[in-house]
Amino acid sequence: MGPLSQLPEHLEELINELMNPAFIVGDSHFGLTNFVFYMIICAIILVVLVICVGRKLTLVPGNKFVHTVEYGYEFVRNDIGKGSIGKGFKKHIPFLATLFFFILIANFIGLVPGAKAATGSISIAWALAIISFIYFNYWGIKTKGGLTYLKEIAPAGLPKIMVPVIWFFEFLSLCLRALTLAFRLFGNMFAGHMVLGIFAILTSIFTTYAIQNAEYLIALPSFAWLFFLFAMYMLEVLVAFLQAYVFTTLSAVYIQLATSSH
């Protein structure tokens, strides 16, 4: 049996590990899963980050870490909030900044060997998407009023006979925004960790096989798998930032669409 024959078994274990939460405390009736545990860790880190950085803010930043966090906040404020929402963007910055930093921290924690990305759970991705969905609809209703907001789901200027049909499809599209937010975040994080896992498995399989069978030429592909693993790891660092950016930007765009006049 060659080393590649062991791959399917390891792949099955990898998929089960990524897809199925493990209970740290309790069971399926009432317990704490590893994904929820890391979600709580992310929330704690975010709160500590805000408190610590908030206390050390100065007119001219002298601390590099504080400056980095402040730059991240300004990025959310100007590039995402102001750029996507426009007028009245300031009141939405706390929400957008919280989304961005929470997802970013969760994604980066998931890159630590042995840890889990909370955003790699479809349940947590769904929760974030639903929070965003409720938020932009709330502000749409608050800005325009409930009836006006519902009425403006269909674009103005349509023939009256077409309004119910277009309204239905636009309403369906509105509801699907939560779905697309959740699956875009979950899908990218799951796929990235799957690829990292595959290259790690291949590196381990070829190295172990070569040592056990004293066939050291078989170990040579391990260096290639290790190189690809390192390259994908660097790419996942970029993806971790991009997914936080995309999720937050789409949330800002949806806020703008909900609150602006069509």
Side-chain angles (χ1 to χ4, degrees):
M1 288 179 65
L4 287 178
S5 63
Q6 304 174 37
L7 185 59
E9 180 182 350
H10 287 285
L11 279 180
E12 186 176 349
E13 293 176 2
L14 176 63
I15 293 172
N16 287 332
E17 183 181 348
L18 292 176
M19 289 292 293
N20 301 319
F23 285 90
I24 298 175
V25 178
D27 52 29
S28 57
H29 297 290
F30 184 80
L32 178 69
T33 67
N34 48 1
F35 287 110
V36 174
F37 172 76
Y38 283 106
M39 181 189 71
I40 294 171
I41 294 297
C42 293
I44 292 172
I45 291 174
L46 183 58
V47 171
V48 172
L49 182 70
V50 171
I51 293 172
C52 293
V53 172
R55 289 178 176 177
K56 295 182 180 180
L57 284 178
T58 56
L59 187 61
V60 180
N63 186 295
K64 289 184 179 180
F65 177 74
V66 173
H67 179 66
T68 301
V69 176
E70 189 176 352
Y71 175 79
Y73 177 82
E74 289 297 320
F75 172 77
V76 174
R77 184 183 186 277
N78 297 323
D79 289 68
I80 299 178
K82 187 177 181 180
S84 300
I85 300 173
K87 184 179 179 181
F89 74 95
K90 291 183 180 179
K91 59 178 169 285
H92 303 295
I93 297 305
F95 173 74
L96 295 175
T98 301
L99 265 185
F100 177 80
F101 282 106
F102 179 85
I103 295 172
L104 187 65
I105 291 169
N107 291 349
F108 280 154
I109 286 178
L111 293 175
V112 176
K116 293 287 185 184
T119 47
S121 165
I122 186 60
S123 300
I124 294 173
W126 258 117
L128 290 169
I130 290 171
I131 289 170
S132 177
F133 181 79
I134 292 172
Y135 183 88
F136 71 73
N137 279 296
Y138 165 79
W139 276 100
I141 293 170
K142 184 176 181 179
T143 303
K144 302 176 180 178
L147 291 176
T148 303
Y149 180 68
L150 289 173
K151 181 181 176 182
E152 288 189 358
I153 289 177
L158 291 171
K160 289 185 178 181
I161 194 172
M162 293 294 295
V163 169
V165 177
I166 300 301
W167 187 94
F168 172 77
F169 284 108
E170 288 294 329
F171 179 76
L172 183 63
S173 174
L174 176 67
C175 294
L176 286 175
R177 288 174 186 174
L179 180 69
T180 57
L181 279 174
F183 276 90
R184 182 183 286 107
L185 178 60
F186 165 73
N188 279 280
M189 299 314 300
F190 176 81
H193 285 82
M194 187 72 185
V195 172
L196 288 176
I198 290 172
F199 285 129
I201 288 170
L202 286 170
T203 303
S204 175
I205 286 175
F206 274 83
T207 302
T208 303
Y209 185 88
I211 293 173
Q212 289 178 345
N213 296 277
E215 296 181 18
Y216 298 109
L217 286 177
I218 298 293
L220 293 178
S222 299
F223 294 102
W225 302 131
L226 188 61
F227 171 78
F228 285 124
L229 175 62
F230 178 77
M232 285 303 304
Y233 192 89
M234 293 298 101
L235 181 61
E236 278 302 299
V237 172
L238 177 62
V239 170
F241 170 80
L242 285 177
Q243 288 309 308
Y245 171 75
V246 169
F247 193 101
T248 310
T249 299
L250 285 175
S251 296
V253 170
Y254 295 154
I255 292 168
Q256 192 276 333
L257 291 173
T259 55
S260 64
S261 299
H262 298 291

